[in-house]
Amino acid sequence: MTDERMAGAEPPLPAPPPASPSPQPPPRPLDQVDRAILRILRKDGRASIRSVAERVHVSRANAYARINRLIEDGVIRGFAARVDHERAGQSASAYITLRIVQNSWRRVREQLSALPGVAHMALVGGDYDVLLLVHTADNRELRELVLTRIQAIPEVLSTQTLLVFEETDLTVD
């Protein structure tokens, strides 16, 4: 639908470093053990160091050091809970595409980041400039978000809303 412009026992995993404006050094190459650790942590970010070490066949110290390195290199950006949005009271989900004024991405990104329900945001190439994934309590809240909040941003030229009927999280087996 198109919306034209209108009104425990082990030490915890180390914390990711705070975001900083300085560029990070290039990451070191990942080997099979690093990739296996990433697969495990994507499925269960709460997996213990001992469990990770056993599953990838390395010592706990080695697993801890590798996870630390992956965090320091910026490969692991953080740990988060996977949320069932419907059970959390956010039964309406949508992808929203935006066309924006050229060279306004940084300003638009700041304003979109402050909006409630925005779960993912990407600057993209093609027919649209920005792709948002949003979760709201219901369609009325979604309508308010799109027509009142997003379209009120001066640099937003147009939007298109794609309702999500069903989702599948591919990060889980």
Side-chain angles (χ1 to χ4, degrees):
M1 119 182 41
T2 299
D3 310 303
E4 289 307 320
R5 187 160 182 83
M6 60 173 62
E10 293 184 31
L13 292 173
S20 69
S22 61
Q24 292 182 324
R28 292 166 268 203
L30 303 182
D31 63 17
Q32 289 181 338
V33 173
D34 293 329
R35 291 182 196 289
I37 289 171
L38 291 173
R39 275 192 303 276
I40 291 166
L41 292 177
R42 269 197 305 268
K43 290 179 187 173
D44 180 7
R46 294 177 56 167
S48 69
I49 299 289
R50 184 177 61 109
S51 168
V52 171
E54 287 173 359
R55 291 168 65 186
V56 299
H57 310 292
V58 298
S59 70
R60 287 194 314 200
N62 188 331
Y64 188 82
R66 284 173 177 267
I67 292 169
N68 233 353
R69 179 179 51 84
L70 291 167
I71 291 170
E72 289 170 3
D73 284 354
V75 175
I76 295 176
R77 297 182 298 166
F79 299 89
R82 289 189 312 266
V83 175
D84 181 323
H85 295 285
E86 199 165 327
R87 293 187 61 85
Q90 298 174 312
S91 59
S93 295
Y95 286 95
I96 303 170
T97 63
L98 288 76
R99 288 193 178 102
I100 61 174
V101 172
Q102 193 170 14
N103 297 322
S104 66
W105 166 240
R106 287 178 184 81
R107 287 187 308 279
V108 171
R109 179 180 55 200
E110 285 179 27
Q111 294 175 74
L112 293 173
S113 297
L115 295 176
V118 175
H120 182 82
M121 178 179 358
L123 179 65
V124 297
D127 291 338
Y128 304 100
D129 302 308
V130 179
L131 180 65
L132 294 179
L133 172 60
V134 300
H135 303 288
T136 61
D138 53 33
N139 284 343
R140 178 174 290 182
E141 191 175 300
L142 176 61
R143 179 182 182 276
E144 172 74 16
L145 179 67
V146 174
L147 300 181
T148 305
R149 306 284 300 271
I150 294 174
Q151 290 188 354
I153 298 171
E155 296 87 356
V156 173
L157 301 174
S158 67
T159 65
Q160 182 175 14
T161 302
L162 307 164
L163 292 176
V164 174
F165 296 128
E166 185 176 317
E167 293 181 88
T168 302
D169 186 354
L170 298 178
T171 60
V172 181
D173 284 337

